[in-house]
Amino acid sequence: MSFRRGVVRQSKFRHVFAQAWKAEHCLDDVRVSRVTWDGPLCAVNPKFIAVIIEAGGGGAFLVVPIGKSGRIDQSCPTVCGHAAPVLDIQWCPHDDNIIASASEDCTVKVWQIPDGGLTSPMTDPIVTLEGHSKRVGILAWHPCAFNILLTAGCDNVVFVWNVGTGELVYQLADAHPDLIYSVGWNKDGSAVCTVCKDKALRIIDPRRGAVLKVREKVHDGTRPMRAVFLADGKILTTGFSRMSERQLALWDAKDLSEPMAVQEMDTSNGVLLPFYDPDTNMVYLCGKGDCTIRYFEVTDESPYVHFLSLYSSKEPQRGAGFLCKRGVDVNKCEIARFYKLHERKVEPISMTVPRKSDLFQGDLYPDTAGLEPALLADEWIAGQDAAPLLVSLSGGYAAHPSKHRDTLRSKPKLSSQDSGAGGAATAATVAAAPTPTPTSAAKEVEGETPQPRVTARETDGNTERPRREDEMLSELLAEMKALRAVVLAQNQRIELLERQLARIEDGDV
């Protein structure tokens, strides 16, 4: 009897293993949203974790520094300016303090988070984008152009905005006959791929408003699909077969006639959310309601999509956040990190390549996309394209001051926030001002003037009483501010319901 040894595919990622962090490093008592929307519900960058949470009478999401752990107090301030549940949140790839949120109230809002995190409830965005006629569930920042944001709503319309001016620059109203499931930019942001309830995959040039290619019936099943562009221009889709088996398929964007590869996994009914790492060419699949995370490597060799392994746990995931490469720990050979959402907990999970050496592993960490944008919004609108500007992770990533940072920080508040008239937002001119620190901002809001520090020796012994009174006053003012935020959110919710009631009475619904 003779045995023939099979050929083992060589890959540095064959032994990637996943490990959940210890309980003391998790976030506890986080009331993760129960909204019926197949989104990740979480967004992470090297500074902050953002999670969409349950909120009475409106929509809110939690933002905490990425190093925070332990129990999240119920009084922890949130971003709570939406009048209806929040469906999607996305951090700006060119500024770690800027986040966009999409909501059932038909608006998209852009927020500026202070460096230390929130010290009070945030209700006033720096930009409100109004134009969708139904709830908005998809956000996608341009990977290379500064201040370009794509939004898609249940009105089957795709909008492209210049966030810096609040202007709607492109509108794709006729490309999709039914509900849009996902939208993703390609590497240089010259095109987007979309999947729709009609089961078709489309490649679209948003500046020309042209559908470049269409593939009917990417997956035969009726459940929602997802699609992402890969670094080499290929497209990876997830969906369901006619027999309700979950599938992964790889497509050549130049020829969509047949898939390059198809893999069937199981018969679970949770939507597979793909998270793609362009540096390693690995794809991670997180199923909503699953207890597993599968990961694959995409190569140029048949069968093109290679299953590596899966992470399994006892608790199902409600959603997940994927940390960009700038935030991983290169000293521990961590190549990816997830933030798994439980019902009331956020649990970090690290993906690590086992290496014995303590030196920087250059083969695991090629240069990755940095904060600096390759193009300004006007340059992209004028027709220019450029690949992302790359930075080295050797020695750990440290952000350098962006030459465009002030442009982002001085974005105008929009007059449409006050008018509530709908339609494309128009910008009001305001003077740019330096960002206050959380402490000074709190003092300005409360009407206090920062006082010089006085020690007990310099006073007559009656310091304790005024100090206690100041503390009580500060607590009362903080509580009043929080209550005002709640009242504002409730008023917005009432106005939304009144408009819906008026439409029903007029027979518009």
Side-chain angles (χ1 to χ4, degrees), residues 446 448 468-479:
E446 294 167 8
E448 295 178 22
R468 283 198 302 271
E469 289 176 355
D470 287 345
E471 290 172 356
M472 290 173 63
L473 180 61
S474 297
E475 290 174 6
L476 285 171
L477 288 169
E479 188 174 352

Side-chain angles (χ1 to χ4, degrees), residues 201-418:
L201 167 66
R202 293 172 174 83
I203 301 175
I204 300 173
D205 181 341
R207 286 174 294 197
R208 289 166 46 201
V211 179
L212 306 179
K213 290 184 181 296
V214 181
R215 161 70 191 193
E216 306 289 343
K217 285 197 174 182
V218 178
H219 297 279
D220 291 327
T222 56
R223 299 276 296 146
M225 301 180 293
R226 291 291 183 274
V228 290
F229 260 115
L230 306 187
D232 59 2
K234 296 184 180 70
I235 298 173
L236 185 136
T237 62
T238 64
F240 293 79
S241 71
R242 188 180 287 106
M243 304 301 292
S244 297
E245 292 176 309
R246 294 197 292 190
Q247 293 179 324
L248 175 153
L250 184 68
W251 304 84
D252 184 348
K254 298 175 183 175
D255 180 10
L256 297 177
S257 57
E258 291 294 331
M260 297 175 63
V262 177
Q263 288 197 21
E264 294 183 344
M265 279 164 278
D266 55 29
T267 54
S268 177
N269 62 359
V271 176
L272 285 170
L273 305 179
F275 296 92
Y276 174 61
D277 179 1
D279 300 332
T280 60
N281 230 29
M282 288 177 61
V283 176
Y284 303 84
L285 299 184
C286 298
K288 296 206 75 171
D290 286 9
C291 300
T292 60
I293 299 174
R294 294 176 173 85
Y295 37 107
F296 302 78
E297 184 179 5
V298 183
T299 69
D300 295 329
E301 308 166 5
S302 181
Y304 306 111
V305 181
H306 308 272
F307 174 74
L308 295 175
S309 187
L310 63 84
Y311 165 78
S312 183
S313 62
K314 295 179 181 179
E315 296 292 329
Q317 56 226 12
R318 300 277 293 277
F322 186 60
L323 179 63
C324 68
K325 193 59 65 71
R326 292 183 291 110
V328 300
D329 189 345
V330 298
N331 297 317
K332 296 181 179 178
C333 294
E334 181 186 45
I335 60 168
R337 188 188 308 164
F338 284 88
Y339 286 81
K340 175 180 172 179
L341 303 186
H342 298 248
E343 189 171 354
R344 294 186 70 91
K345 184 172 78 170
V346 181
E347 177 185 41
I349 299 169
S350 289
M351 304 288 178
T352 307
V353 177
R355 292 283 172 94
K356 292 181 180 178
S357 174
D358 292 333
L359 300 176
F360 175 72
Q361 305 295 306
D363 61 324
L364 298 182
Y365 301 103
D367 289 353
T368 191
L371 278 174
E372 197 69 27
L375 296 170
L376 296 177
D378 291 341
E379 293 173 333
W380 181 79
I381 292 168
Q384 294 185 41
D385 291 316
L389 299 182
L390 306 181
V391 294
S392 172
L393 294 178
S394 178
Y397 175 75
H400 299 289
S402 169
K403 60 185 178 183
H404 305 301
R405 193 173 180 85
D406 290 340
T407 311
L408 191 61
R409 294 310 177 91
S410 62
K411 285 199 296 289
K413 290 187 179 180
L414 302 186
S415 56
S416 58
Q417 291 177 18
D418 299 323

